[in-house]
Amino acid sequence: MDLPTSDLELVRENEKIEDDKERGLTFHCELYDTEIVHKLAQAFLPGLSTACVNNTTGDMFRNPGSVAADIRKEMVDYLTQRSERFVAESVVLEGDLVSDHPYDIISNMVDDFASLKLNLFSRVSGWLLSEKREDKIDDFVQEMEISGFWLLDRREAVAQILVKNVDLKNIFHCDKKFNTAEELAEHVVNCGFRTMNCTNEGCSTVFCASHLEKHDSACPFKIIPCEQQCSENVMRRGMDRHCITVCRMKSVSCPFYAVGCQSTMPHFRIQQHCSDNLLSHLLYTLKTIHKGGSEEDLKKRVDQIVESSSGGLADARDARSLILKVKDAEAKLGPLEVKVSEKVSEEPNKDGENSSEEPVEAFNKGGEQSSEEDKIGCEKSTETINKVGEELSSIQV
Protein backbone atom coordinates (compact mmCIF):
# COMPACT_ATOMS: atom_id res chain seq x y z
CA MET A 1 0.00 0.00 0.00
CA ASP A 2 1.36 3.49 -0.97
CA LEU A 3 1.59 6.00 1.88
CA PRO A 4 0.19 9.58 1.49
CA THR A 5 2.84 11.99 0.21
CA SER A 6 1.56 15.14 1.96
CA ASP A 7 -0.36 16.25 5.04
CA LEU A 8 -3.35 17.15 2.83
CA GLU A 9 -3.47 13.68 1.39
CA LEU A 10 -3.16 12.24 4.91
CA VAL A 11 -6.14 14.26 6.09
CA ARG A 12 -8.18 13.20 3.08
CA GLU A 13 -7.25 9.58 3.75
CA ASN A 14 -8.40 9.86 7.36
CA GLU A 15 -11.64 11.50 6.26
CA LYS A 16 -12.23 8.67 3.83
CA ILE A 17 -11.75 6.08 6.60
CA GLU A 18 -14.17 7.90 8.88
CA ASP A 19 -16.74 8.11 6.08
CA ASP A 20 -16.41 4.37 5.53
CA LYS A 21 -17.06 3.75 9.21
CA GLU A 22 -20.16 5.97 9.21
CA ARG A 23 -21.68 4.40 6.13
CA GLY A 24 -19.69 1.19 6.34
CA LEU A 25 -20.31 -2.44 7.13
CA THR A 26 -21.03 -2.41 10.84
CA PHE A 27 -22.96 -5.69 11.22
CA HIS A 28 -20.66 -8.73 11.44
CA CYS A 29 -21.61 -12.39 11.19
CA GLU A 30 -20.41 -14.05 14.40
CA LEU A 31 -20.83 -17.66 13.30
CA TYR A 32 -17.94 -20.11 13.48
CA ASP A 33 -16.99 -23.77 13.06
CA THR A 34 -18.62 -25.35 16.10
CA GLU A 35 -16.60 -28.57 15.76
CA ILE A 36 -13.21 -26.82 16.05
CA VAL A 37 -14.41 -24.57 18.87
CA HIS A 38 -15.78 -27.53 20.83
CA LYS A 39 -12.58 -29.51 20.32
CA LEU A 40 -10.46 -26.59 21.56
CA ALA A 41 -12.69 -26.07 24.58
CA GLN A 42 -12.09 -29.69 25.58
CA ALA A 43 -8.30 -29.18 25.31
CA PHE A 44 -8.29 -26.22 27.71
CA LEU A 45 -8.84 -28.28 30.88
CA PRO A 46 -5.82 -30.61 30.38
CA GLY A 47 -3.70 -27.54 29.56
CA LEU A 48 -4.84 -25.71 32.68
CA SER A 49 -4.33 -28.81 34.81
CA THR A 50 -0.78 -29.23 33.50
CA ALA A 51 0.03 -25.60 34.23
CA CYS A 52 -1.33 -25.89 37.80
CA VAL A 53 0.63 -29.10 38.49
CA ASN A 54 3.79 -27.58 37.01
CA ASN A 55 3.42 -24.53 39.26
CA THR A 56 2.87 -26.41 42.53
CA THR A 57 4.95 -29.59 42.24
CA GLY A 58 7.09 -29.99 45.36
CA ASP A 59 5.37 -27.10 47.16
CA MET A 60 4.13 -28.18 50.59
CA PHE A 61 1.89 -25.13 51.04
CA ARG A 62 0.08 -25.09 47.70
CA ASN A 63 -1.79 -27.60 45.55
CA PRO A 64 -3.18 -27.36 41.98
CA GLY A 65 -6.64 -26.43 43.23
CA SER A 66 -5.36 -23.47 45.25
CA VAL A 67 -3.84 -21.77 42.19
CA ALA A 68 -6.33 -22.84 39.52
CA ALA A 69 -8.39 -19.62 39.51
CA ASP A 70 -5.37 -17.34 39.13
CA ILE A 71 -3.68 -19.51 36.53
CA ARG A 72 -6.90 -19.77 34.53
CA LYS A 73 -7.05 -15.98 34.24
CA GLU A 74 -3.38 -15.86 33.26
CA MET A 75 -3.95 -18.56 30.68
CA VAL A 76 -6.89 -16.76 29.04
CA ASP A 77 -4.95 -13.49 28.91
CA TYR A 78 -1.88 -15.23 27.52
CA LEU A 79 -3.82 -17.03 24.79
CA THR A 80 -5.76 -13.91 23.84
CA GLN A 81 -2.61 -11.79 23.50
CA ARG A 82 -0.73 -14.50 21.60
CA SER A 83 -3.63 -15.01 19.20
CA GLU A 84 -3.88 -11.24 18.56
CA ARG A 85 -0.17 -11.14 17.76
CA PHE A 86 -0.34 -14.27 15.64
CA VAL A 87 -0.65 -12.38 12.36
CA ALA A 88 2.57 -10.52 13.07
CA GLU A 89 4.30 -13.70 14.32
CA SER A 90 3.28 -15.63 11.20
CA VAL A 91 4.84 -12.94 9.01
CA VAL A 92 8.11 -13.16 10.97
CA LEU A 93 8.15 -16.98 11.07
CA GLU A 94 6.99 -17.32 7.45
CA GLY A 95 7.62 -20.96 6.50
CA ASP A 96 8.51 -22.12 10.04
CA LEU A 97 4.88 -22.72 10.97
CA VAL A 98 4.20 -26.42 11.43
CA SER A 99 0.48 -26.07 10.68
CA ASP A 100 -1.98 -23.30 9.87
CA HIS A 101 -4.92 -25.14 11.40
CA PRO A 102 -6.46 -23.18 14.33
CA TYR A 103 -6.56 -26.23 16.60
CA ASP A 104 -2.85 -26.95 16.12
CA ILE A 105 -1.90 -23.29 16.56
CA ILE A 106 -3.86 -22.75 19.78
CA SER A 107 -2.86 -26.16 21.19
CA ASN A 108 0.79 -25.16 20.80
CA MET A 109 0.04 -21.90 22.63
CA VAL A 110 -1.56 -23.85 25.50
CA ASP A 111 1.53 -26.09 25.72
CA ASP A 112 3.78 -23.04 25.75
CA PHE A 113 1.80 -21.52 28.62
CA ALA A 114 2.00 -24.75 30.65
CA SER A 115 5.78 -24.83 30.09
CA LEU A 116 6.09 -21.28 31.40
CA LYS A 117 4.61 -22.42 34.72
CA LEU A 118 7.27 -25.05 35.36
CA ASN A 119 9.04 -24.44 38.68
CA LEU A 120 12.48 -25.79 39.51
CA PHE A 121 11.21 -28.98 41.12
CA SER A 122 8.83 -29.57 38.20
CA ARG A 123 11.69 -29.36 35.72
CA VAL A 124 13.60 -32.03 37.63
CA SER A 125 10.66 -34.30 38.36
CA GLY A 126 9.35 -33.99 34.80
CA TRP A 127 11.62 -36.82 33.74
CA LEU A 128 12.13 -38.50 37.14
CA LEU A 129 8.46 -38.95 38.02
CA SER A 130 6.76 -38.66 34.64
CA GLU A 131 4.14 -41.38 35.22
CA LYS A 132 3.14 -40.10 38.64
CA ARG A 133 2.99 -36.57 37.28
CA GLU A 134 0.68 -37.60 34.41
CA ASP A 135 -1.64 -39.34 36.86
CA LYS A 136 -1.78 -36.19 38.99
CA ILE A 137 -2.69 -34.10 35.91
CA ASP A 138 -5.47 -36.51 34.91
CA ASP A 139 -6.86 -36.56 38.46
CA PHE A 140 -7.03 -32.76 38.59
CA VAL A 141 -8.79 -32.63 35.21
CA GLN A 142 -11.49 -34.95 36.56
CA GLU A 143 -11.75 -32.90 39.73
CA MET A 144 -12.38 -29.70 37.72
CA GLU A 145 -14.96 -31.44 35.51
CA ILE A 146 -16.89 -32.78 38.52
CA SER A 147 -16.84 -29.48 40.38
CA GLY A 148 -17.77 -27.45 37.27
CA PHE A 149 -14.77 -25.18 37.80
CA TRP A 150 -14.65 -24.07 34.14
CA LEU A 151 -17.91 -24.77 32.33
CA LEU A 152 -17.87 -25.89 28.70
CA ASP A 153 -19.88 -22.96 27.34
CA ARG A 154 -17.43 -20.47 28.87
CA ARG A 155 -14.48 -22.33 27.42
CA GLU A 156 -16.18 -22.34 24.02
CA ALA A 157 -16.65 -18.55 24.24
CA VAL A 158 -12.89 -18.16 24.72
CA ALA A 159 -12.13 -20.65 21.95
CA GLN A 160 -14.40 -18.79 19.54
CA ILE A 161 -12.39 -15.56 19.94
CA LEU A 162 -9.07 -17.38 19.59
CA VAL A 163 -10.18 -19.17 16.39
CA LYS A 164 -11.20 -15.90 14.76
CA ASN A 165 -7.85 -14.33 15.72
CA VAL A 166 -5.69 -17.07 14.16
CA ASP A 167 -7.88 -18.14 11.22
CA LEU A 168 -6.09 -16.05 8.62
CA LYS A 169 -7.76 -17.74 5.66
CA ASN A 170 -11.28 -17.38 7.09
CA ILE A 171 -11.90 -21.10 6.71
CA PHE A 172 -13.23 -21.78 10.21
CA HIS A 173 -15.32 -18.67 10.84
CA CYS A 174 -17.54 -16.30 8.86
CA ASP A 175 -16.05 -12.89 8.09
CA LYS A 176 -19.04 -11.43 6.26
CA LYS A 177 -20.14 -7.86 7.11
CA PHE A 178 -23.41 -6.09 6.29
CA ASN A 179 -24.93 -2.63 6.30
CA THR A 180 -28.13 -3.47 8.12
CA ALA A 181 -29.40 -5.93 10.68
CA GLU A 182 -31.93 -7.21 8.15
CA GLU A 183 -29.17 -8.15 5.74
CA LEU A 184 -27.29 -9.90 8.52
CA ALA A 185 -30.39 -11.82 9.61
CA GLU A 186 -31.03 -12.91 6.04
CA HIS A 187 -27.43 -14.10 5.75
CA VAL A 188 -27.44 -16.02 9.04
CA VAL A 189 -30.30 -18.21 7.83
CA ASN A 190 -28.18 -19.42 4.92
CA CYS A 191 -24.67 -19.08 6.36
CA GLY A 192 -22.49 -22.13 5.96
CA PHE A 193 -21.42 -21.83 9.63
CA ARG A 194 -24.95 -21.90 11.04
CA THR A 195 -25.46 -24.58 13.66
CA MET A 196 -27.36 -27.73 12.75
CA ASN A 197 -28.42 -30.81 14.69
CA CYS A 198 -28.31 -34.27 13.18
CA THR A 199 -31.79 -35.51 12.28
CA ASN A 200 -30.92 -39.21 12.57
CA GLU A 201 -32.67 -40.79 15.54
CA GLY A 202 -30.26 -41.31 18.43
CA CYS A 203 -27.57 -38.88 17.20
CA SER A 204 -27.01 -35.69 19.21
CA THR A 205 -24.11 -34.29 17.18
CA VAL A 206 -24.05 -30.54 16.50
CA PHE A 207 -22.17 -29.29 13.43
CA CYS A 208 -21.97 -26.50 10.87
CA ALA A 209 -24.23 -26.56 7.84
CA SER A 210 -21.17 -26.84 5.62
CA HIS A 211 -20.32 -30.14 7.36
CA LEU A 212 -23.74 -31.68 6.81
CA GLU A 213 -22.66 -33.90 3.94
CA LYS A 214 -19.49 -34.99 5.74
CA HIS A 215 -21.39 -35.90 8.91
CA ASP A 216 -24.17 -37.63 7.00
CA SER A 217 -21.63 -39.86 5.24
CA ALA A 218 -20.22 -41.06 8.57
CA CYS A 219 -23.08 -40.73 11.09
CA PRO A 220 -23.27 -44.05 13.00
CA PHE A 221 -27.04 -43.64 13.51
CA LYS A 222 -27.98 -43.21 9.84
CA ILE A 223 -30.15 -45.97 8.36
CA ILE A 224 -28.57 -47.24 5.14
CA PRO A 225 -29.06 -50.21 2.78
CA CYS A 226 -27.21 -53.40 3.60
CA GLU A 227 -23.64 -53.39 2.29
CA GLN A 228 -24.10 -56.97 1.06
CA GLN A 229 -27.14 -55.88 -0.94
CA CYS A 230 -29.80 -57.80 0.88
CA SER A 231 -33.25 -56.23 1.14
CA GLU A 232 -32.72 -54.88 4.70
CA ASN A 233 -31.98 -51.29 5.79
CA VAL A 234 -29.62 -51.22 8.77
CA MET A 235 -28.18 -48.57 11.11
CA ARG A 236 -24.59 -47.84 10.07
CA ARG A 237 -23.09 -48.69 13.45
CA GLY A 238 -24.79 -52.11 13.40
CA MET A 239 -23.83 -52.96 9.82
CA ASP A 240 -20.90 -55.25 10.66
CA ARG A 241 -22.97 -57.26 13.10
CA HIS A 242 -25.83 -57.58 10.63
CA CYS A 243 -23.53 -58.73 7.82
CA ILE A 244 -21.95 -61.54 9.83
CA THR A 245 -25.04 -62.74 11.72
CA VAL A 246 -28.51 -62.39 10.18
CA CYS A 247 -27.88 -61.10 6.66
CA ARG A 248 -29.26 -63.53 4.09
CA MET A 249 -26.43 -62.56 1.73
CA LYS A 250 -23.59 -63.43 4.11
CA SER A 251 -21.09 -65.85 2.61
CA VAL A 252 -21.09 -69.32 4.21
CA SER A 253 -19.47 -72.69 3.55
CA CYS A 254 -21.44 -75.73 2.50
CA PRO A 255 -22.90 -77.66 5.50
CA PHE A 256 -21.09 -80.72 4.10
CA TYR A 257 -17.68 -79.05 4.22
CA ALA A 258 -16.53 -81.64 6.77
CA VAL A 259 -16.92 -84.49 4.31
CA GLY A 260 -15.32 -82.71 1.35
CA CYS A 261 -17.63 -80.14 -0.32
CA GLN A 262 -15.61 -76.90 -0.57
CA SER A 263 -18.37 -74.71 -2.03
CA THR A 264 -19.23 -71.27 -0.60
CA MET A 265 -22.47 -69.40 -1.24
CA PRO A 266 -24.86 -66.75 0.15
CA HIS A 267 -26.73 -68.00 3.19
CA PHE A 268 -30.12 -68.02 1.50
CA ARG A 269 -28.90 -70.44 -1.20
CA ILE A 270 -27.85 -73.25 1.15
CA GLN A 271 -31.07 -75.22 0.79
CA GLN A 272 -31.01 -75.02 -2.99
CA HIS A 273 -27.33 -76.00 -3.07
CA CYS A 274 -27.95 -79.07 -0.88
CA SER A 275 -30.88 -80.11 -3.04
CA ASP A 276 -28.96 -79.70 -6.30
CA ASN A 277 -25.86 -81.52 -5.03
CA LEU A 278 -27.40 -84.39 -3.04
CA LEU A 279 -25.65 -87.10 -5.08
CA SER A 280 -22.23 -85.50 -4.80
CA HIS A 281 -22.71 -85.05 -1.03
CA LEU A 282 -23.66 -88.72 -0.79
CA LEU A 283 -20.52 -89.70 -2.65
CA TYR A 284 -18.38 -87.51 -0.33
CA THR A 285 -20.05 -89.17 2.66
CA LEU A 286 -19.44 -92.71 1.36
CA LYS A 287 -15.77 -91.84 0.69
CA THR A 288 -15.52 -90.85 4.34
CA ILE A 289 -17.18 -94.06 5.56
CA HIS A 290 -15.52 -96.49 3.11
CA LYS A 291 -12.00 -95.19 2.80
CA GLY A 292 -10.15 -96.85 -0.05
CA GLY A 293 -13.30 -97.85 -1.92
CA SER A 294 -13.21 -97.42 -5.68
CA GLU A 295 -15.11 -94.60 -7.36
CA GLU A 296 -17.16 -97.11 -9.37
CA ASP A 297 -18.23 -99.14 -6.34
CA LEU A 298 -19.15 -96.01 -4.37
CA LYS A 299 -21.23 -94.60 -7.22
CA LYS A 300 -23.16 -97.86 -7.43
CA ARG A 301 -23.70 -97.64 -3.68
CA VAL A 302 -25.03 -94.10 -4.10
CA ASP A 303 -27.65 -95.37 -6.56
CA GLN A 304 -28.63 -98.17 -4.19
CA ILE A 305 -29.01 -95.81 -1.24
CA VAL A 306 -31.05 -93.31 -3.26
CA GLU A 307 -33.42 -96.07 -4.43
CA SER A 308 -33.90 -97.43 -0.91
CA SER A 309 -34.23 -94.10 0.88
CA SER A 310 -37.53 -92.97 -0.69
CA GLY A 311 -36.48 -89.29 -0.60
CA GLY A 312 -35.56 -89.18 3.09
CA LEU A 313 -31.95 -88.15 2.39
CA ALA A 314 -33.00 -84.65 1.34
CA ASP A 315 -33.93 -83.88 4.97
CA ALA A 316 -30.28 -84.12 6.08
CA ARG A 317 -29.04 -80.59 6.88
CA ASP A 318 -25.40 -81.31 7.63
CA ALA A 319 -22.67 -83.94 7.32
CA ARG A 320 -23.46 -85.65 10.64
CA SER A 321 -27.14 -86.17 9.90
CA LEU A 322 -26.38 -87.44 6.38
CA ILE A 323 -23.79 -89.93 7.70
CA LEU A 324 -26.38 -91.33 10.12
CA LYS A 325 -28.94 -91.72 7.35
CA VAL A 326 -26.38 -93.39 5.07
CA LYS A 327 -25.40 -95.89 7.78
CA ASP A 328 -29.05 -96.73 8.40
CA ALA A 329 -29.54 -97.33 4.67
CA GLU A 330 -26.40 -99.47 4.45
CA ALA A 331 -27.54 -101.59 7.38
CA LYS A 332 -30.53 -102.59 5.28
CA LEU A 333 -28.55 -103.02 2.06
CA GLY A 334 -25.81 -105.13 3.60
CA PRO A 335 -22.03 -104.90 3.18
CA LEU A 336 -20.57 -102.95 0.32
CA GLU A 337 -19.55 -105.22 -2.57
CA VAL A 338 -15.99 -104.38 -3.55
CA LYS A 339 -14.70 -105.47 -6.94
CA VAL A 340 -11.09 -106.72 -6.73
CA SER A 341 -8.98 -105.46 -9.58
CA GLU A 342 -6.23 -107.68 -11.10
CA LYS A 343 -2.90 -106.05 -11.57
CA VAL A 344 -0.78 -107.37 -14.45
CA SER A 345 2.69 -106.04 -14.99
CA GLU A 346 3.38 -104.84 -18.49
CA GLU A 347 7.04 -105.99 -18.62
CA PRO A 348 7.64 -109.05 -16.38
CA ASN A 349 11.31 -109.88 -15.79
CA LYS A 350 12.91 -113.20 -16.62
CA ASP A 351 13.23 -114.19 -12.99
CA GLY A 352 9.53 -113.72 -12.66
CA GLU A 353 8.84 -115.98 -15.61
CA ASN A 354 11.13 -118.77 -14.26
CA SER A 355 9.71 -118.51 -10.81
CA SER A 356 6.20 -118.82 -12.19
CA GLU A 357 7.02 -121.92 -14.26
CA GLU A 358 9.01 -123.78 -11.59
CA PRO A 359 6.07 -124.39 -9.29
CA VAL A 360 4.08 -125.79 -12.23
CA GLU A 361 6.83 -128.26 -13.14
CA ALA A 362 7.31 -129.27 -9.54
CA PHE A 363 3.61 -129.81 -9.27
CA ASN A 364 3.63 -132.08 -12.35
CA LYS A 365 6.60 -134.11 -11.09
CA GLY A 366 5.01 -134.45 -7.71
CA GLY A 367 1.84 -135.70 -9.37
CA GLU A 368 3.69 -138.38 -11.37
CA GLN A 369 5.59 -139.67 -8.31
CA SER A 370 2.46 -139.87 -6.26
CA SER A 371 0.69 -141.90 -8.98
CA GLU A 372 3.56 -144.51 -9.14
CA GLU A 373 3.57 -144.86 -5.39
CA ASP A 374 -0.15 -145.40 -5.44
CA LYS A 375 0.24 -148.25 -7.95
CA ILE A 376 2.94 -150.00 -5.86
CA GLY A 377 0.84 -149.60 -2.76
CA CYS A 378 -2.13 -151.13 -4.49
CA GLU A 379 -0.13 -154.19 -5.62
CA LYS A 380 1.26 -154.78 -2.14
CA SER A 381 -2.15 -154.53 -0.59
CA THR A 382 -3.49 -157.07 -3.15
CA GLU A 383 -0.74 -159.56 -2.32
CA THR A 384 -1.40 -159.22 1.36
CA ILE A 385 -5.10 -159.83 0.88
CA ASN A 386 -4.37 -163.04 -1.17
CA LYS A 387 -2.03 -164.42 1.49
CA VAL A 388 -4.54 -163.81 4.23
CA GLY A 389 -7.19 -165.57 2.16
CA GLU A 390 -4.99 -168.64 1.65
CA GLU A 391 -4.25 -168.96 5.35
CA LEU A 392 -7.95 -168.75 6.22
CA SER A 393 -8.77 -171.56 3.72
CA SER A 394 -6.06 -173.89 5.09
CA ILE A 395 -7.34 -173.42 8.60
CA GLN A 396 -10.88 -174.33 7.59
CA VAL A 397 -9.65 -177.56 5.91
Side-chain angles (χ1 to χ4, degrees), residues 174-188:
C174 184
D175 63 336
K176 299 289 181 63
K177 302 176 183 179
F178 303 91
N179 291 316
T180 63
E182 290 77 10
E183 292 179 355
L184 175 60
E186 184 179 353
H187 163 77
V188 168

Side-chain angles (χ1 to χ4, degrees), residues 55 67-80 113 117:
N55 190 250
V67 299
D70 293 335
I71 292 183
R72 178 182 63 183
K73 183 179 183 303
E74 293 180 26
M75 178 177 172
V76 173
D77 292 340
Y78 174 85
L79 295 176
T80 303
F113 175 77
K117 291 301 174 181

Side-chain angles (χ1 to χ4, degrees), residues 137-387:
I137 291 172
D138 293 340
D139 292 343
F140 190 52
V141 169
Q142 295 181 7
E143 182 181 337
M144 288 190 290
E145 288 178 342
I146 294 172
S147 64
F149 173 75
W150 197 1
L151 297 177
L152 180 62
D153 58 344
R154 295 185 179 181
R155 283 179 276 151
E156 287 183 344
V158 175
Q160 178 183 349
I161 297 172
L162 300 180
V163 167
K164 291 182 178 179
N165 288 343
V166 301
D167 184 21
L168 304 181
K169 298 180 180 179
N170 300 324
I171 298 175
F172 301 96
H173 78 285
C174 184
D175 63 336
K176 299 289 181 63
K177 302 176 183 179
F178 303 91
N179 291 316
T180 63
E182 290 77 10
E183 292 179 355
L184 175 60
E186 184 179 353
H187 163 77
V188 168
V189 175
N190 300 306
C191 181
F193 291 98
R194 69 185 185 279
T195 301
M196 297 187 69
N197 296 316
C198 182
T199 57
N200 295 322
E201 185 178 355
C203 183
S204 58
T205 305
V206 179
F207 49 86
C208 295
S210 59
H211 295 167
L212 174 60
E213 185 177 351
K214 176 183 176 182
H215 172 78
D216 189 67
S217 65
C219 179
F221 294 91
K222 183 177 176 63
I223 304 297
I224 58 176
C226 173
E227 293 177 352
Q228 297 182 147
Q229 300 180 353
C230 78
S231 58
E232 298 292 329
N233 290 323
V234 187
M235 191 177 292
R236 180 178 277 118
R237 69 175 185 172
M239 183 62 68
D240 291 343
R241 182 177 181 181
H242 165 79
C243 290
I244 63 177
T245 55
V246 299
C247 181
R248 64 193 301 268
M249 292 296 292
K250 68 178 181 180
S251 181
V252 295
S253 298
C254 174
F256 300 93
Y257 179 88
V259 295
C261 184
Q262 305 295 316
S263 301
T264 57
M265 69 217 72
H267 184 267
F268 78 97
R269 291 182 180 171
I270 289 180
Q271 187 173 357
Q272 186 64 38
H273 169 78
C274 293
S275 177
D276 294 342
N277 296 274
L278 175 61
L279 297 181
S280 63
H281 293 161
L282 269 175
L283 184 59
Y284 284 131
T285 303
L286 288 173
K287 287 181 178 179
T288 302
I289 297 173
H290 302 288
K291 294 181 179 179
S294 66
E295 189 86 6
E296 183 179 355
D297 293 333
L298 295 179
K299 286 182 179 180
K300 290 181 179 179
R301 194 63 161 181
V302 167
D303 295 335
Q304 295 173 358
I305 293 174
V306 171
E307 290 177 1
S308 64
S309 64
S310 301
L313 296 172
D315 298 333
R317 299 299 180 186
D318 52 32
R320 184 173 180 274
S321 60
L322 185 59
I323 289 174
L324 293 176
K325 287 182 177 293
V326 168
K327 287 186 176 180
D328 290 342
E330 287 200 310
K332 298 176 182 178
L333 294 173
L336 174 67
E337 296 180 1
V338 180
K339 185 177 181 181
V340 179
S341 58
E342 298 180 355
K343 297 183 180 179
V344 180
S345 58
E346 296 179 356
E347 298 180 355
N349 53 31
K350 294 181 180 180
D351 294 336
E353 293 176 356
N354 295 335
S355 61
S356 61
E357 292 176 357
E358 287 176 359
V360 176
E361 294 177 356
F363 176 78
N364 294 333
K365 292 179 179 179
E368 294 175 356
Q369 291 177 357
S370 60
S371 60
E372 292 177 357
E373 290 176 355
D374 290 340
K375 290 178 180 180
I376 296 171
C378 290
E379 294 176 355
K380 289 182 178 180
S381 60
T382 302
E383 293 177 357
T384 304
I385 290 171
N386 293 331
K387 288 180 180 181

